[in-house]
Amino acid sequence: MNIYSIPLLFASIYGLGFSTLLFSKRRGSIVDIAFGFEWLSVSVWWLGYFMVYLSSSEDMAFFWARVVHTGVIFIPVFMHHFVMAFLGLQSLKRNMIRFNYVLSIILSCVLWFTNYIVDGVYKYSWGYYAKTGVVQNFFLIYFVVLFLDSVIRLHKKEKQIKGKFPSEARRISYIYWFYMIAGISMLDFLPNFGIAYPPVGFIFVTIGLGI
């Protein structure tokens, strides 16, 4: 077994367990459901790369790289939906939320039926890794836009209510810092462009959740 794959296996089990916990709540709110699906998407990302690292051929690695990016495509969408619902903005941003889901479904189709998102794989010292296609460049911009919109809204809301509702502001602050720390994991996209940066994003995500 590829030793680089082992942490990803444990991380994916952790993520799947956390998403299951969120889904199992008796009266699961849209906040819990969106956050649960976000973690499910993250788990697909980790579990997919666990399989990529274990792949014995480029074709097998290419298949699992597509599985990886199926999860990755939905991470910013569920993240943004979760933040909008958590801040009570879901009704105001309903059209944008719907657009995000429709776009993600379209991107998933592009992923599986073309090479415009994943265009093969690289071989690094730690194993195979997805090679970016032309559409992924635009997807990454879209990912960053949704990420920034989410964290900026969290930060503004925290400052706005800090004096009147300190406990609620503290909750928002925890989520804000979770995303700020977890966001470092976006460096894991560097190897998609041929840059031999060891992908350790799962560490930042789990550290962020710890706060």
Side-chain angles (χ1 to χ4, degrees):
M1 177 177 285
N2 184 335
I3 60 171
Y4 297 104
S5 69
I6 297 174
L8 287 169
L9 175 61
F10 285 109
S12 62
I13 293 172
Y14 175 78
L16 287 170
F18 188 66
S19 62
T20 301
L21 178 65
L22 290 166
F23 291 140
S24 65
K25 289 188 176 183
R26 185 172 299 177
R27 294 183 178 180
S29 66
I30 190 63
V31 174
D32 292 329
I33 293 171
F35 199 40
F37 274 112
E38 181 185 350
W39 269 93
L40 182 61
S41 300
V42 170
S43 300
V44 170
W45 164 33
W46 289 339
L47 187 60
Y49 264 126
F50 167 74
M51 295 303 299
V52 169
Y53 291 174
L54 293 182
S55 296
S56 57
S57 68
E58 287 192 7
D59 288 341
M60 184 181 296
F62 189 21
F63 169 81
W64 285 109
R66 280 179 160 153
V67 174
V68 168
H69 281 76
T70 303
V72 170
I73 283 170
F74 282 94
I75 290 174
V77 176
F78 288 124
M79 173 194 68
H80 193 261
H81 191 176
F82 162 70
V83 172
M84 295 304 104
F86 181 77
L87 296 178
L89 299 174
Q90 179 171 282
S91 59
L92 293 174
K93 299 297 178 181
R94 191 177 305 276
N95 289 337
M96 183 177 185
I97 291 170
R98 288 174 178 170
F99 169 80
N100 289 337
Y101 283 117
V102 171
L103 180 59
S104 294
I105 292 170
I106 293 172
L107 287 172
S108 296
C109 293
V110 173
L111 168 66
W112 283 97
F113 294 107
T114 75
N115 290 356
Y116 292 145
I117 293 181
V118 176
D119 188 19
V121 292
Y122 291 108
K123 184 66 180 291
Y124 292 109
S125 60
W126 62 82
Y128 290 107
Y129 210 85
K131 181 187 296 184
T132 186
V134 63
V135 173
Q136 189 177 358
N137 298 318
F138 299 101
F139 167 74
L140 292 179
I141 295 172
Y142 170 69
F143 192 123
V144 171
V145 168
L146 288 187
F147 175 82
L148 290 177
D149 185 55
S150 298
V151 296
I152 289 172
R153 288 181 186 277
L154 286 167
H155 188 62
K156 285 183 176 179
K157 187 66 174 181
E158 178 201 356
K159 297 300 181 184
Q160 180 183 346
I161 68 171
K162 192 172 184 179
K164 293 182 178 180
F165 306 102
S167 60
E168 182 65 19
R170 195 176 304 113
R171 288 181 61 209
I172 295 173
S173 177
Y174 289 150
I175 296 172
Y176 169 78
W177 282 108
F178 161 67
Y179 281 122
M180 290 302 292
I181 295 172
I184 302 173
S185 65
M186 284 189 279
L187 290 173
D188 281 6
F189 286 118
L190 291 176
N192 296 140
F193 295 90
I195 301 172
Y197 164 82
V200 292
F202 66 92
I203 296 176
F204 298 107
V205 176
T206 50
I207 289 174
L209 187 64
I211 66 173

mmCIF file of all heavy atoms in Angstrom, residues 80 83-84 87 89 92-93 96 146-160 172 176:
data_model
loop_
_atom_site.group_PDB
_atom_site.id
_atom_site.type_symbol
_atom_site.label_atom_id
_atom_site.label_comp_id
_atom_site.label_asym_id
_atom_site.label_seq_id
_atom_site.Cartn_x
_atom_site.Cartn_y
_atom_site.Cartn_z
ATOM 1 N N HIS A 80 -21.192 27.448 0.286
ATOM 2 C CA HIS A 80 -21.897 28.719 0.130
ATOM 3 C C HIS A 80 -23.345 28.610 0.597
ATOM 4 O O HIS A 80 -23.863 29.513 1.272
ATOM 5 C CB HIS A 80 -21.835 29.157 -1.338
ATOM 6 C CG HIS A 80 -22.250 30.558 -1.573
ATOM 7 N ND1 HIS A 80 -23.521 30.895 -2.012
ATOM 8 C CD2 HIS A 80 -21.584 31.745 -1.423
ATOM 9 C CE1 HIS A 80 -23.608 32.206 -2.126
ATOM 10 N NE2 HIS A 80 -22.452 32.749 -1.783
ATOM 11 N N VAL A 83 -23.398 28.602 4.435
ATOM 12 C CA VAL A 83 -23.163 29.931 5.014
ATOM 13 C C VAL A 83 -24.386 30.831 4.833
ATOM 14 O O VAL A 83 -24.786 31.542 5.762
ATOM 15 C CB VAL A 83 -21.905 30.583 4.402
ATOM 16 C CG1 VAL A 83 -21.775 32.036 4.849
ATOM 17 C CG2 VAL A 83 -20.657 29.797 4.798
ATOM 18 N N MET A 84 -24.990 30.802 3.641
ATOM 19 C CA MET A 84 -26.180 31.617 3.419
ATOM 20 C C MET A 84 -27.312 31.205 4.357
ATOM 21 O O MET A 84 -28.015 32.059 4.921
ATOM 22 C CB MET A 84 -26.641 31.495 1.960
ATOM 23 C CG MET A 84 -25.674 32.044 0.916
ATOM 24 S SD MET A 84 -25.203 33.783 1.155
ATOM 25 C CE MET A 84 -23.536 33.578 1.825
ATOM 26 N N LEU A 87 -26.525 32.245 8.020
ATOM 27 C CA LEU A 87 -26.676 33.687 8.250
ATOM 28 C C LEU A 87 -28.101 34.181 7.990
ATOM 29 O O LEU A 87 -28.365 35.378 8.096
ATOM 30 C CB LEU A 87 -25.696 34.459 7.354
ATOM 31 C CG LEU A 87 -24.208 34.232 7.627
ATOM 32 C CD1 LEU A 87 -23.362 35.024 6.631
ATOM 33 C CD2 LEU A 87 -23.844 34.611 9.058
ATOM 34 N N LEU A 89 -29.732 34.075 5.116
ATOM 35 C CA LEU A 89 -29.807 34.760 3.821
ATOM 36 C C LEU A 89 -30.323 33.862 2.705
ATOM 37 O O LEU A 89 -30.309 34.256 1.537
ATOM 38 C CB LEU A 89 -28.420 35.292 3.439
ATOM 39 C CG LEU A 89 -27.796 36.317 4.388
ATOM 40 C CD1 LEU A 89 -26.366 36.622 3.955
ATOM 41 C CD2 LEU A 89 -28.627 37.587 4.434
ATOM 42 N N LEU A 92 -33.036 35.286 0.418
ATOM 43 C CA LEU A 92 -32.564 36.390 -0.409
ATOM 44 C C LEU A 92 -31.646 35.909 -1.527
ATOM 45 O O LEU A 92 -31.571 36.529 -2.595
ATOM 46 C CB LEU A 92 -31.816 37.416 0.457
ATOM 47 C CG LEU A 92 -32.646 38.188 1.486
ATOM 48 C CD1 LEU A 92 -31.732 39.058 2.352
ATOM 49 C CD2 LEU A 92 -33.688 39.060 0.792
ATOM 50 N N LYS A 93 -30.942 34.814 -1.281
ATOM 51 C CA LYS A 93 -29.969 34.297 -2.251
ATOM 52 C C LYS A 93 -30.460 33.026 -2.937
ATOM 53 O O LYS A 93 -29.662 32.272 -3.490
ATOM 54 C CB LYS A 93 -28.633 34.025 -1.537
ATOM 55 C CG LYS A 93 -28.000 35.249 -0.912
ATOM 56 C CD LYS A 93 -27.627 36.283 -1.963
ATOM 57 C CE LYS A 93 -27.033 37.529 -1.348
ATOM 58 N NZ LYS A 93 -26.688 38.533 -2.373
ATOM 59 N N MET A 96 -29.399 32.535 -6.596
ATOM 60 C CA MET A 96 -27.970 32.269 -6.708
ATOM 61 C C MET A 96 -27.648 30.836 -6.278
ATOM 62 O O MET A 96 -26.838 30.148 -6.916
ATOM 63 C CB MET A 96 -27.171 33.258 -5.848
ATOM 64 C CG MET A 96 -25.668 33.097 -5.971
ATOM 65 S SD MET A 96 -24.757 34.329 -5.000
ATOM 66 C CE MET A 96 -23.076 33.947 -5.483
ATOM 67 N N LEU A 146 -16.859 32.038 -4.627
ATOM 68 C CA LEU A 146 -17.829 31.565 -3.634
ATOM 69 C C LEU A 146 -17.201 31.512 -2.245
ATOM 70 O O LEU A 146 -17.852 31.842 -1.242
ATOM 71 C CB LEU A 146 -18.362 30.180 -4.016
ATOM 72 C CG LEU A 146 -19.323 30.116 -5.198
ATOM 73 C CD1 LEU A 146 -19.886 28.706 -5.342
ATOM 74 C CD2 LEU A 146 -20.464 31.108 -5.054
ATOM 75 N N PHE A 147 -15.957 31.101 -2.177
ATOM 76 C CA PHE A 147 -15.260 31.054 -0.896
ATOM 77 C C PHE A 147 -15.152 32.447 -0.288
ATOM 78 O O PHE A 147 -15.478 32.654 0.892
ATOM 79 C CB PHE A 147 -13.869 30.442 -1.078
ATOM 80 C CG PHE A 147 -13.031 30.449 0.162
ATOM 81 C CD1 PHE A 147 -13.188 29.473 1.132
ATOM 82 C CD2 PHE A 147 -12.084 31.449 0.375
ATOM 83 C CE1 PHE A 147 -12.416 29.481 2.294
ATOM 84 C CE2 PHE A 147 -11.310 31.468 1.516
ATOM 85 C CZ PHE A 147 -11.469 30.482 2.482
ATOM 86 N N LEU A 148 -14.694 33.410 -1.089
ATOM 87 C CA LEU A 148 -14.524 34.777 -0.577
ATOM 88 C C LEU A 148 -15.862 35.402 -0.189
ATOM 89 O O LEU A 148 -15.958 36.090 0.836
ATOM 90 C CB LEU A 148 -13.824 35.640 -1.624
ATOM 91 C CG LEU A 148 -12.345 35.316 -1.879
ATOM 92 C CD1 LEU A 148 -11.802 36.192 -2.997
ATOM 93 C CD2 LEU A 148 -11.525 35.505 -0.610
ATOM 94 N N ASP A 149 -16.893 35.158 -0.996
ATOM 95 C CA ASP A 149 -18.214 35.689 -0.660
ATOM 96 C C ASP A 149 -18.688 35.137 0.681
ATOM 97 O O ASP A 149 -19.254 35.871 1.500
ATOM 98 C CB ASP A 149 -19.217 35.327 -1.754
ATOM 99 C CG ASP A 149 -20.581 35.959 -1.516
ATOM 100 O OD1 ASP A 149 -20.660 37.196 -1.375
ATOM 101 O OD2 ASP A 149 -21.585 35.217 -1.465
ATOM 102 N N SER A 150 -18.414 33.868 0.923
ATOM 103 C CA SER A 150 -18.836 33.228 2.175
ATOM 104 C C SER A 150 -18.100 33.797 3.377
ATOM 105 O O SER A 150 -18.716 34.189 4.372
ATOM 106 C CB SER A 150 -18.614 31.711 2.085
ATOM 107 O OG SER A 150 -19.377 31.139 1.054
ATOM 108 N N VAL A 151 -16.774 33.856 3.310
ATOM 109 C CA VAL A 151 -16.016 34.301 4.478
ATOM 110 C C VAL A 151 -16.190 35.795 4.732
ATOM 111 O O VAL A 151 -16.193 36.236 5.896
ATOM 112 C CB VAL A 151 -14.516 33.933 4.356
ATOM 113 C CG1 VAL A 151 -14.333 32.424 4.336
ATOM 114 C CG2 VAL A 151 -13.875 34.575 3.140
ATOM 115 N N ILE A 152 -16.344 36.585 3.680
ATOM 116 C CA ILE A 152 -16.557 38.028 3.859
ATOM 117 C C ILE A 152 -17.896 38.280 4.542
ATOM 118 O O ILE A 152 -17.998 39.116 5.456
ATOM 119 C CB ILE A 152 -16.470 38.766 2.511
ATOM 120 C CG1 ILE A 152 -15.021 38.795 2.013
ATOM 121 C CG2 ILE A 152 -17.006 40.200 2.635
ATOM 122 C CD1 ILE A 152 -14.855 39.323 0.603
ATOM 123 N N ARG A 153 -18.921 37.546 4.134
ATOM 124 C CA ARG A 153 -20.238 37.702 4.769
ATOM 125 C C ARG A 153 -20.205 37.267 6.230
ATOM 126 O O ARG A 153 -20.825 37.891 7.092
ATOM 127 C CB ARG A 153 -21.291 36.918 3.997
ATOM 128 C CG ARG A 153 -21.646 37.523 2.648
ATOM 129 C CD ARG A 153 -22.718 36.707 1.934
ATOM 130 N NE ARG A 153 -22.966 37.200 0.595
ATOM 131 C CZ ARG A 153 -23.770 38.206 0.304
ATOM 132 N NH1 ARG A 153 -24.428 38.832 1.280
ATOM 133 N NH2 ARG A 153 -23.944 38.596 -0.942
ATOM 134 N N LEU A 154 -19.486 36.202 6.520
ATOM 135 C CA LEU A 154 -19.346 35.759 7.910
ATOM 136 C C LEU A 154 -18.648 36.821 8.747
ATOM 137 O O LEU A 154 -19.081 37.137 9.861
ATOM 138 C CB LEU A 154 -18.555 34.442 7.959
ATOM 139 C CG LEU A 154 -19.279 33.183 7.517
ATOM 140 C CD1 LEU A 154 -18.284 32.047 7.316
ATOM 141 C CD2 LEU A 154 -20.341 32.772 8.538
ATOM 142 N N HIS A 155 -17.569 37.364 8.207
ATOM 143 C CA HIS A 155 -16.794 38.362 8.945
ATOM 144 C C HIS A 155 -17.617 39.625 9.191
ATOM 145 O O HIS A 155 -17.610 40.174 10.306
ATOM 146 C CB HIS A 155 -15.526 38.699 8.165
ATOM 147 C CG HIS A 155 -14.572 39.571 8.906
ATOM 148 N ND1 HIS A 155 -13.970 39.193 10.087
ATOM 149 C CD2 HIS A 155 -14.112 40.829 8.642
ATOM 150 C CE1 HIS A 155 -13.182 40.157 10.505
ATOM 151 N NE2 HIS A 155 -13.250 41.161 9.657
ATOM 152 N N LYS A 156 -18.330 40.074 8.180
ATOM 153 C CA LYS A 156 -19.152 41.283 8.323
ATOM 154 C C LYS A 156 -20.262 41.074 9.347
ATOM 155 O O LYS A 156 -20.547 41.954 10.169
ATOM 156 C CB LYS A 156 -19.751 41.677 6.974
ATOM 157 C CG LYS A 156 -18.763 42.316 6.009
ATOM 158 C CD LYS A 156 -19.457 42.742 4.726
ATOM 159 C CE LYS A 156 -18.504 43.475 3.794
ATOM 160 N NZ LYS A 156 -19.166 43.874 2.522
ATOM 161 N N LYS A 157 -20.898 39.910 9.304
ATOM 162 C CA LYS A 157 -21.982 39.623 10.239
ATOM 163 C C LYS A 157 -21.465 39.560 11.668
ATOM 164 O O LYS A 157 -22.114 40.063 12.605
ATOM 165 C CB LYS A 157 -22.647 38.292 9.873
ATOM 166 C CG LYS A 157 -23.891 37.971 10.682
ATOM 167 C CD LYS A 157 -25.023 38.947 10.387
ATOM 168 C CE LYS A 157 -26.312 38.538 11.070
ATOM 169 N NZ LYS A 157 -27.423 39.470 10.766
ATOM 170 N N GLU A 158 -20.299 38.974 11.852
ATOM 171 C CA GLU A 158 -19.714 38.904 13.195
ATOM 172 C C GLU A 158 -19.478 40.308 13.749
ATOM 173 O O GLU A 158 -19.804 40.603 14.899
ATOM 174 C CB GLU A 158 -18.390 38.133 13.147
ATOM 175 C CG GLU A 158 -17.701 38.054 14.499
ATOM 176 C CD GLU A 158 -16.214 37.775 14.393
ATOM 177 O OE1 GLU A 158 -15.718 37.563 13.273
ATOM 178 O OE2 GLU A 158 -15.549 37.806 15.445
ATOM 179 N N LYS A 159 -18.892 41.188 12.956
ATOM 180 C CA LYS A 159 -18.625 42.551 13.401
ATOM 181 C C LYS A 159 -19.921 43.316 13.672
ATOM 182 O O LYS A 159 -19.992 44.128 14.598
ATOM 183 C CB LYS A 159 -17.800 43.294 12.341
ATOM 184 C CG LYS A 159 -16.424 42.694 12.086
ATOM 185 C CD LYS A 159 -15.575 42.687 13.337
ATOM 186 C CE LYS A 159 -14.194 42.110 13.057
ATOM 187 N NZ LYS A 159 -13.383 42.011 14.306
ATOM 188 N N GLN A 160 -20.926 43.025 12.868
ATOM 189 C CA GLN A 160 -22.196 43.733 12.984
ATOM 190 C C GLN A 160 -22.925 43.428 14.289
ATOM 191 O O GLN A 160 -23.543 44.322 14.887
ATOM 192 C CB GLN A 160 -23.084 43.353 11.792
ATOM 193 C CG GLN A 160 -24.447 44.019 11.777
ATOM 194 C CD GLN A 160 -25.296 43.540 10.620
ATOM 195 O OE1 GLN A 160 -24.793 42.913 9.685
ATOM 196 N NE2 GLN A 160 -26.580 43.828 10.673
ATOM 197 N N ILE A 172 -20.308 32.573 14.888
ATOM 198 C CA ILE A 172 -19.945 32.975 13.526
ATOM 199 C C ILE A 172 -18.425 33.038 13.381
ATOM 200 O O ILE A 172 -17.871 32.631 12.351
ATOM 201 C CB ILE A 172 -20.583 34.327 13.179
ATOM 202 C CG1 ILE A 172 -22.107 34.200 13.143
ATOM 203 C CG2 ILE A 172 -20.054 34.854 11.840
ATOM 204 C CD1 ILE A 172 -22.837 35.512 12.969
ATOM 205 N N TYR A 176 -16.068 31.203 10.681
ATOM 206 C CA TYR A 176 -15.178 32.023 9.859
ATOM 207 C C TYR A 176 -13.754 31.487 9.902
ATOM 208 O O TYR A 176 -13.118 31.295 8.853
ATOM 209 C CB TYR A 176 -15.214 33.468 10.352
ATOM 210 C CG TYR A 176 -14.145 34.360 9.754
ATOM 211 C CD1 TYR A 176 -14.281 34.877 8.462
ATOM 212 C CD2 TYR A 176 -12.995 34.682 10.474
ATOM 213 C CE1 TYR A 176 -13.300 35.684 7.924
ATOM 214 C CE2 TYR A 176 -12.011 35.492 9.937
ATOM 215 C CZ TYR A 176 -12.167 35.992 8.660
ATOM 216 O OH TYR A 176 -11.191 36.797 8.120
#
